Amino acid sequence: MKTIAYNMFGGTEVLQTLDESTPSIQTDQVLVKIKAVSVNPLDWKIRKGEMKLMSGSKFPKHTGTDFAGVIEEVGSSVTTFKKGDEVFGIVKNNMKEGALGEYVAVPAKSVWKKPAAISFAQAASIPTVGGAAVAAFQKMGKINSQSHILVNGATGGFGMFLLQLLKPTGANVTAVTSTNGVVYAKEWGATSVVDYKKENILSRKATYDVVIDLSGKMGYKNAKQIMKPQALFLNPVPQPIDIPTTLIQNLFRSKKHIALITAPSEKSINLLLQSIDKGLAIEVGKVFPFTQTQEAYQYAEKGGYIGKVVIELA
């Protein structure tokens, strides 16, 4: 089968198309013929060597965490799926494995049936950022019409799900996005939208109960300026050092810095599936063919796109 791999850390130029054997499955696994794989920032953080303490330095490495496709084969102990089922899911360990190839073998518990109403590209966009959005939403605690929330970098995949999860709460949600994202942020439920190309959110006099920095560019030090005394700063892209240090520092400060470490769970995916049934929108901003994988990652790494970037296989 064709698959994407790399033999050294680096930029998009290290990505290669290789011929490998189709994986065999264990009794609790399914073999999925891949139709689409979405792009996540963690993909290139691993590829560039930023996560080598966790990923190790053994090559070749594969890429891609979230996928959608059709079940080709089921393990002998799997009773929840059959050949031909349309599914979406995640690889078990994205530090060691990758979904960007013609087939992937994964535990049956790591896949879910694809809703008929959405495409393979949309389904492949769900697990990582959707699961993270659910985790962030739950970490915010009791949200209501008196809550003021700032979502910085609001119209990528994470923000797309988070804004829509927040909408039914009636919270006052300010979304910071690019000019291209303003319409989407409003559509997904933001009550106020700031175009960062026209206005610096830090120059406003408003303060917030929760600030979540999806862009990774604001940082806690800047966010403190616009946080209420007991506010939360949610950081979904923490550096490894942030995880232990924030826990200690939070003991001595009222404005808490929370490092979000998330993984999709059965519960979070089920919540998202229920939301999709109720009309949750999944925007795929750009689709690339498998043969343009390098171009797909170059595009995604520049940022500024709406929703998700997806790579499709014929």
Side-chain angles (χ1 to χ4, degrees):
M1 69 168 192
K2 300 289 186 186
T3 188
I4 301 296
Y6 51 99
N7 285 299
M8 65 179 72
F9 293 123
T12 55
E13 73 282 351
V14 303
L15 294 170
Q16 299 176 305
T17 304
L18 302 181
D19 283 302
E20 295 182 351
S21 300
T22 301
S24 56
I25 59 170
Q26 298 173 9
T27 58
D28 66 338
Q29 290 186 317
V30 292
L31 182 68
V32 180
K33 183 175 175 63
I34 299 295
K35 295 289 187 181
V37 173
S38 72
V39 173
N40 290 296
L42 187 61
D43 297 344
W44 63 77
K45 286 177 180 290
I46 296 170
R47 190 192 70 234
K48 291 178 179 179
E50 294 175 21
M51 312 294 288
K52 66 176 65 174
L53 285 176
M54 290 175 275
S55 71
S57 300
K58 184 179 178 181
F59 297 98
K61 290 188 181 300
H62 297 79
T63 194
T65 300
D66 303 337
F67 62 85
V70 180
I71 289 187
E72 188 79 7
E73 186 183 347
V74 297
S76 58
S77 67
V78 176
T79 58
T80 48
F81 299 101
K82 63 183 185 303
K83 182 176 179 178
D85 282 346
E86 295 183 349
V87 297
F88 68 99
I90 54 171
V91 295
K92 186 178 180 181
N93 182 353
N94 54 17
M95 295 291 171
K96 307 289 184 184
E97 308 168 82
L100 192 47
E102 292 181 299
Y103 294 91
V104 68
V106 292
K109 64 182 180 180
S110 296
V111 299
W112 297 267
K113 288 187 178 178
K114 180 182 81 66
I118 64 174
S119 67
F120 285 108
Q122 288 174 307
S125 300
I126 296 170
T128 295
V129 293
V134 171
F137 175 68
Q138 293 171 339
K139 185 66 74 172
M140 290 178 187
K142 293 181 179 179
I143 299 299
N144 55 42
S145 60
Q146 302 304 308
S147 305
H148 288 79
I149 299 168
L150 177 70
V151 183
N152 190 47
T155 51
F158 194 142
M160 169 177 68
F161 285 104
L162 182 59
L163 290 180
Q164 293 179 84
L165 290 172
L166 286 167
K167 187 176 181 180
T169 69
N172 297 280
V173 180
T174 299
V176 181
T177 184
S178 64
T179 306
N180 292 338
V182 170
V183 171
Y184 290 94
K186 291 178 179 177
E187 185 179 309
W188 293 335
T191 48
S192 173
V193 183
V194 175
D195 181 345
Y196 69 79
K197 294 184 177 180
K198 297 179 179 178
E199 182 182 359
N200 184 348
I201 188 66
L202 299 175
S203 66
R204 285 193 165 194
K205 293 182 180 179
T207 55
Y208 303 91
D209 300 291
V210 179
V211 175
I212 180 165
D213 182 21
L214 304 181
S215 72
K217 295 176 181 177
M218 177 181 284
Y220 175 74
K221 287 183 180 179
N222 288 319
K224 282 194 298 183
Q225 302 172 41
I226 52 173
M227 290 168 66
K228 292 182 180 180
Q230 306 297 322
L232 297 179
F233 175 76
L234 301 184
N235 180 6
V237 285
Q239 297 297 318
I241 190 64
D242 291 332
I243 299 165
T245 56
T246 55
L247 289 171
I248 297 167
Q249 291 168 349
N250 284 343
L251 296 173
F252 307 99
R253 60 192 178 194
S254 63
K255 299 179 181 182
K256 308 298 186 186
H257 180 176
I258 309 297
L260 279 178
I261 308 298
T262 65
S265 66
E266 185 78 26
K267 191 173 181 180
S268 64
I269 297 297
N270 285 340
L271 188 153
L272 291 166
L273 289 172
Q274 291 168 14
S275 298
I276 289 167
D277 288 341
K278 295 174 183 176
L280 182 141
I282 303 173
E283 180 70 22
V284 178
K286 186 84 170 176
V287 176
F288 289 84
F290 182 70
T291 53
Q292 292 181 15
T293 291
Q294 286 191 0
E295 291 87 343
Y297 276 103
Q298 287 166 4
Y299 177 84
E301 289 173 41
K302 287 178 183 176
Y305 54 86
I306 305 300
K308 291 286 286 181
V309 176
V310 172
I311 298 166
E312 287 188 335
L313 285 83

